[in-house]
Amino acid sequence: MCQLWQLDVELMESLRFGPLPDRPDLDVAVALTRLLHEDFVARGTRHDERMNDEEVVLAVKAHRAVLERLGLESPQLPFRHHSGFYDYWRKNDMSGGGGWQARRECIEELLGPTRQALEDLQEAEYEQRFKNGPRGTFKNLIFAAVGPKPQIVLRDAVSNEVEIVRNAENCLVYKDPLPLQGLTWRQMVTWWQAHHMPDTEEPEAADALYRRLYRSLDSLPEQTVLRTYCARYAEPDGFDLPALIPQVYLHYDPYTRKSGGHSGALHRERMDFLLLAPDRSRIVIEVDGAHHYGIKKPTGADGRTTYAASPRLYSEMVAEDRRLRLAGYEIYRFGGWELTRPDSPQVISDFFTELLTRHKKPTP
């Protein structure tokens, strides 16, 4: 028999270690599920298949890796390849003239739930296009800067590729594909291990990442927010909570800031915190000190620093809030003063409990 079809072995190997640059994991998972389903059914009904045993093993491993990245459980196949499937149906009374139907039903029972779960994800993605979610496609996160600000340029305007040309060592950059279910603490730790601590175990890497994020905050109220939220990571399933990402660059505007009369100036360069939630919401949390809405007065004789309310600063702040909300972000604000009170950890904890309940992963 002339073989007109050949499995791309290198492609299967690459899928085990990361997503393809030009195809979303969801589309790949659908294609691999269909490939395995068709091949096993062909083997069980016509004694025909496109893949040999070794290729089936590679396809199953790639399938498992892609499903894990999508947050889905892999089907528990009781065999590894076509030969194993043959032995399986012989041992389980699926031989004989009418056994082909039993073998077809066997494969459907094993791979059908996975196909249904992927179809549910596709449907959710389709419906999301008609909702007022954030505009644009996730590209990268530049966050947790310490020391001098990074200088960013647009390296490739066609592909929208940005590059940090100065002080790159002072910030973190997350470029991995964003899973459909948002960005969890576990995924952040996995990224940190891969790029910064490849020889460490997950608990050690998580502790180091937390400390690095904490270093990017220089105000007590912001530190209280991060410390209180991140305590949840120690709870059962805490690593699967959305990661609280501090000091995220929203836009970089090196020119209009310097030209004072420019009407297009962008006033909020960084977000204090960002959550990429399981329901695909982008949630901004701001901690407002007096400098957000007031102008510093000369230091008094007692050495105290005070601020005078500024209608201009306040107007700029709420105008930027409106712009972000229209772009699909949710914004929540804390006053710096309320986060210095003795009960502030409880206030923060109660807030996040309600917020996470509201933004759970949608039920198919």
Side-chain angles (χ1 to χ4, degrees):
M1 176 179 174
C2 179
Q3 186 174 359
L4 301 178
W5 184 93
Q6 185 174 2
L7 184 73
D8 189 334
V9 172
E10 290 186 3
L11 180 66
M12 293 298 105
E13 290 285 6
S14 69
L15 284 170
R16 294 172 56 193
F17 301 102
L20 301 178
D22 57 347
R23 289 289 185 276
D25 270 339
L26 180 55
D27 291 350
V28 174
V30 170
L32 286 174
T33 303
R34 184 181 300 118
L35 171 66
L36 292 172
H37 189 282
E38 290 176 355
D39 248 49
F40 279 121
V41 168
R43 180 69 178 91
T45 58
R46 302 190 303 273
H47 297 281
D48 185 19
E49 67 271 343
R50 290 176 291 185
M51 296 185 288
N52 59 38
D53 281 355
E54 184 178 346
E55 290 172 336
V56 172
V57 171
L58 289 175
V60 168
K61 289 180 178 179
H63 187 238
R64 183 184 303 119
V66 176
L67 290 175
E68 287 176 355
R69 289 199 293 271
L70 291 171
L72 298 177
E73 291 187 9
S74 303
Q76 300 301 309
L77 300 177
F79 40 81
R80 298 177 64 247
H81 40 55
H82 288 142
S83 298
F85 181 38
Y86 174 76
D87 293 337
Y88 182 81
W89 87 55
R90 290 185 63 195
K91 294 177 181 177
N92 288 272
D93 299 322
M94 291 186 239
S95 298
W100 65 268
Q101 182 61 32
R103 297 167 213 155
R104 183 189 295 274
E105 291 172 355
C106 170
I107 297 302
E108 178 60 24
E109 288 176 5
L110 292 170
L111 291 173
T114 298
R115 186 181 60 243
Q116 184 61 53
L118 291 170
E119 289 175 355
D120 290 339
L121 281 181
Q122 286 181 313
E123 183 66 18
E125 196 164 61
Y126 179 80
E127 291 178 358
Q128 190 69 20
R129 300 175 189 175
F130 300 94
K131 296 180 180 178
N132 295 323
R135 295 198 298 263
T137 303
F138 176 88
K139 191 73 175 179
N140 49 235
L141 292 171
I142 302 173
F143 62 104
V146 294
K149 292 181 179 180
Q151 293 187 10
I152 306 168
V153 298
L154 190 61
R155 176 60 64 190
D156 184 343
V158 176
S159 301
N160 195 29
E161 293 287 346
V162 300
E163 180 180 342
I164 303 174
V165 295
R166 186 174 297 177
N167 301 322
E169 69 279 4
N170 295 334
C171 63
L172 300 178
V173 182
Y174 184 97
K175 291 185 177 181
D176 289 1
L178 181 66
L180 289 173
Q181 288 77 32
L183 185 58
T184 67
W185 178 242
R186 187 183 306 280
Q187 288 156 342
M188 283 285 290
V189 172
T190 299
W191 162 81
W192 176 261
Q193 284 178 287
H195 295 276
H196 299 275
M197 301 179 70
D199 299 323
T200 59
E201 298 296 327
E202 185 179 69
E204 182 182 353
D207 181 68
L209 175 57
Y210 167 74
R211 292 176 184 275
R212 173 61 183 82
L213 298 180
Y214 195 85
R215 281 177 51 213
S216 69
L217 303 175
D218 55 11
S219 82
L220 178 60
E222 289 177 351
Q223 291 170 352
T224 303
V225 170
L226 185 70
R227 189 168 56 247
T228 303
Y229 181 84
C230 291
R232 294 172 180 258
Y233 298 152
E235 299 173 356
D237 300 323
F239 270 42
D240 296 319
L241 290 172
L244 184 63
I245 312 166
Q247 301 298 299
V248 180
Y249 275 87
L250 176 63
H251 46 241
Y252 188 72
D253 181 26
Y255 302 111
T256 56
R257 282 273 185 171
K258 295 178 180 179
S259 53
H262 200 294
S263 62
L266 300 172
H267 296 287
R268 186 178 306 157
E269 191 170 70
R270 287 188 294 186
M271 299 174 279
D272 289 340
F273 296 99
L274 177 67
L275 280 168
L276 299 172
D279 64 353
R280 307 183 196 179
S281 297
R282 297 180 188 176
I283 303 167
V284 179
I285 297 167
E286 295 286 348
V287 178
D288 297 333
H291 62 282
H292 285 81
Y293 47 81
I295 299 175
K296 184 187 292 187
K297 293 181 178 180
T299 303
D302 57 0
R304 294 180 57 193
T305 299
T306 58
Y307 291 79
S310 169
R312 178 183 62 82
L313 288 178
Y314 177 77
S315 295
E316 290 173 355
M317 182 174 69
V318 297
E320 182 68 7
D321 280 0
R322 291 196 302 272
R323 188 187 72 82
L324 280 178
R325 288 194 178 99
L326 289 174
Y329 288 79
E330 283 193 23
I331 303 173
Y332 297 91
R333 291 187 169 277
F334 285 95
W337 177 83
E338 70 174 318
L339 298 184
T340 60
R341 294 163 42 186
D343 64 341
S344 61
Q346 188 62 52
V347 171
I348 296 168
S349 182
D350 291 344
F351 163 75
F352 279 117
T353 296
E354 189 168 348
L355 183 72
L356 294 174
T357 300
R358 177 177 178 180
H359 290 281
K360 287 182 177 179
K361 177 182 176 180
T363 302

